């Protein structure tokens, strides 16, 4: 299995909010960024964690030890 790439503090925050079931709009409102920025964070999370969908990003986040 490939090594995990480190997440930025903001990516970690977005990952937690996705794991809580928040939509992109809810994440944007809670973090003070635009929904487009949230989408970009999710795309980068997918690349870093080797995932393509929200549920897979969360699962990979658990495997990487980012969610406990």
């Amino acid at each position: 299995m490939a090594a995990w790439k480190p997440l930025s503090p903001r990516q970690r925050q977005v990952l937690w909010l996705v794991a809580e079931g928040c939509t992109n709009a809810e994440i944007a409102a809670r973090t003070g960024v635009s929904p487009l920025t949230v989408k970009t964070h999710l795309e980068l999370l997918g690349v870093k964690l080797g995932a393509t969908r929200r549920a897979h990003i969360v699962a990979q986040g658990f495997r990487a030890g980012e969610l406990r």
Side-chain angles (χ1 to χ4, degrees):
M1 181 174 283
W4 301 106
K5 295 181 181 174
L7 301 182
S8 71
R10 178 66 82 182
Q11 289 170 338
R12 203 169 287 112
Q13 181 184 27
V14 169
L15 177 60
W16 272 101
L17 293 170
V18 170
E20 289 179 4
C22 294
T23 66
N24 286 8
E26 291 168 335
I27 294 169
R30 288 177 67 174
T31 60
V33 300
S34 75
L36 183 58
T37 300
V38 173
K39 183 178 176 190
T40 300
H41 284 306
L42 287 171
E43 290 170 358
L44 292 173
L45 280 167
V47 169
K48 286 185 173 184
L49 296 173
T52 56
R53 298 178 190 231
R54 291 172 87 91
H56 194 207
I57 288 171
V58 171
Q60 294 294 79
F62 273 108
R63 287 188 186 103
E66 296 291 345
L67 297 170
R68 295 175 195 195

